[in-house]
């Protein structure tokens, strides 16, 4: 007797495929690019529309006397997407030359992008 399988015609990706590093690196590259672009436009237009100049608002933030832990965390949160997007962008440029498509290299460069970005962001927070 034949067994009939009732499968969804268009299954959702999360239920069919196991979450893997290349999926994560692609998603993070897109998210960091969109987030940085949005932040740049929002910050730029906000500074242009608010009264006063940039120094006024920088002085106001300094007067809040935020603790070093909060300032260091904020620096890391701002530096990590930039570092990750730059490293992963270099990885994509390497792919444009036709190199690095074997699975082992994809995983090595993917981990390098995540860890390297964290190291660069940590160093940048200390500047």
């Amino acid at each position: 007797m034949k067994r009939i399988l009732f499968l969804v015609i268009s299954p959702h990706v999360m239920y069919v495929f196991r979450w893997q590093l290349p999926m994560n690196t692609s998603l993070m590259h897109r998210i960091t690019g969109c987030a940085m672009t949005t932040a740049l436009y929002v910050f730029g237009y906000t500074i242009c529309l608010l009264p006063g100049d940039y120094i006024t608002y920088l002085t106001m933030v300094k007067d809040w006397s935020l603790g070093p832990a909060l300032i260091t965390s904020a620096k890391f949160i701002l530096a990590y997407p930039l570092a990750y997007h730059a490293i992963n962008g270099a990885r994509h440029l390497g792919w444009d030359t036709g190199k690095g498509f074997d699975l082992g290299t994809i995983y090595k460069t993917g981990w390098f992008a995540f860890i390297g970005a964290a190291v660069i962001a940590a160093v940048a927070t200390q500047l």
Side-chain angles (χ1 to χ4, degrees):
M1 178 172 230
K2 288 187 177 181
R3 190 172 180 192
I4 299 173
L5 297 176
F6 294 99
L7 298 176
V8 178
I9 293 172
S10 179
H12 191 269
V13 174
M14 294 303 292
Y15 298 116
V16 175
F17 299 109
R18 193 175 51 138
W19 195 258
Q20 296 178 1
L21 183 67
M23 294 167 65
N24 200 14
T25 56
S26 176
L27 182 65
M28 281 291 292
H29 190 75
R30 293 165 196 248
I31 288 172
T32 56
C34 290
M36 289 188 303
T37 301
T38 303
L40 178 69
Y41 279 109
V42 168
F43 181 73
Y45 284 129
T46 302
I47 287 297
C48 289
L49 295 175
L50 289 175
D53 59 352
Y54 179 76
I55 303 300
T56 305
Y57 296 103
L58 187 60
T59 306
M60 183 178 67
V61 170
K62 285 182 180 178
D63 290 341
W64 289 344
S65 299
L66 303 172
L70 185 62
I71 291 174
T72 303
S73 300
K75 285 182 181 180
F76 186 85
I77 289 169
L78 291 173
Y80 185 81
L82 181 63
Y84 177 78
H85 199 75
I87 292 173
N88 206 41
R91 182 175 173 232
H92 278 268
L93 287 174
W95 288 346
D96 289 343
T97 66
K99 295 181 174 33
F101 283 116
D102 58 297
L103 198 56
T105 305
I106 288 174
Y107 273 86
K108 287 177 189 173
T109 57
W111 282 114
F112 178 78
F114 279 117
I115 295 169
V119 169
I120 289 172
V123 169
T125 60
Q126 302 307 314
L127 298 178

